[in-house]
Amino acid sequence: MARLSGLVAVVIVSSLAVISECQLTHQGTTCVQCCGIGTSASPERPKVAFSVAKTEHMSSSSSQTIIIYDHVFTNVGNGYNAQTGIFTCPVSGYYYFAFHALKYYNKNLHIQLTKNNEQVIAAHSGLGRGTSGPAELQETGNDVIIPCDEGDQVWIKLPYSADNTYMFHSHPAHRYTSFSGYLIFTAD
């Protein structure tokens, strides 16, 4: 038993020496990368965030359903492609997405957040039933937190309907129509 206690004491003293050295080296924090003992400051977390806006009106058409936001406020991580309107997730994790649009006068508006060709959520603003609904400009939007894998693609869709032309209003200075997203945390 005495021999075992001596061994335990040597291991403890050796571990303390390593922790002390690590603390001195890293100004009070222990570092898993260099000594394998203790806790470390969080490893560098990937930074992913984008916020974009559309500066012109857009109507639904059979040839263009993805909204291409032409004004980029920020694109940390370069996930948003301003030529295609598609955000590609650079890392796996949980993401927050939000989108907003302003319905044009006397038109309906239906927009969808789409991930890998599957609708996730939508927002709608319409004229109401018959002629009694609002004909003025009207804001709509939605937001969601979803898990995404690296390479997943997310975009906002203005669906085409032969029976009903959807249209949103925007302006170069006011940018009423927007799409934003950011990584909350990575998936382990």
Side-chain angles (χ1 to χ4, degrees), residues 16-26:
L16 290 174
V18 171
I19 291 172
S20 295
E21 179 183 320
C22 191
Q23 287 174 332
L24 290 173
T25 305
H26 298 288

Side-chain angles (χ1 to χ4, degrees), residues 3-173:
R3 184 176 175 163
L4 184 56
S5 334
L7 182 58
V8 170
V10 169
V11 170
I12 291 172
V13 169
S14 297
S15 296
L16 290 174
V18 171
I19 291 172
S20 295
E21 179 183 320
C22 191
Q23 287 174 332
L24 290 173
T25 305
H26 298 288
Q27 301 172 347
T29 62
T30 55
C31 179
V32 171
Q33 285 76 25
C34 68
C35 68
I37 298 172
T39 60
S40 81
S42 299
E44 185 62 28
R45 204 175 89 160
K47 292 176 177 66
V48 181
F50 74 97
S51 187
V52 295
K54 183 83 173 150
T55 61
E56 299 174 347
H57 309 317
M58 183 176 171
S59 295
S60 58
S61 74
S62 58
S63 63
Q64 175 63 44
T65 60
I66 296 175
I67 300 172
I68 299 174
Y69 297 87
D70 56 331
H71 181 84
V72 178
F73 294 105
T74 189
N75 192 13
V76 177
N78 297 314
Y80 179 74
N81 183 324
Q83 278 68 50
T84 64
I86 297 173
F87 172 76
T88 302
C89 300
V91 296
S92 297
Y94 286 82
Y95 287 80
Y96 171 82
F97 295 102
F99 60 97
H100 303 276
L102 187 63
K103 177 187 81 65
Y104 201 76
Y105 298 102
N106 293 310
K107 296 288 183 182
N108 288 320
L109 177 61
H110 183 84
I111 53 178
Q112 304 167 344
L113 184 131
T114 305
K115 175 184 156 190
N116 299 333
N117 288 319
E118 296 290 329
Q119 178 182 320
V120 177
I121 55 172
H124 184 84
S125 180
L127 294 173
R129 296 178 188 221
T131 58
S132 61
E136 68 277 355
L137 295 171
Q138 195 173 45
E139 185 75 23
T140 191
N142 213 335
D143 57 359
V144 67
I145 296 171
I146 55 173
C148 294
D149 291 326
E150 182 177 341
D152 279 354
Q153 295 186 318
V154 179
W155 64 88
I156 305 300
K157 180 178 180 178
L158 182 65
Y160 174 72
S161 168
D163 299 330
N164 193 351
T165 302
Y166 298 124
M167 185 173 185
F168 64 78
H169 177 68
S170 206
H171 187 274

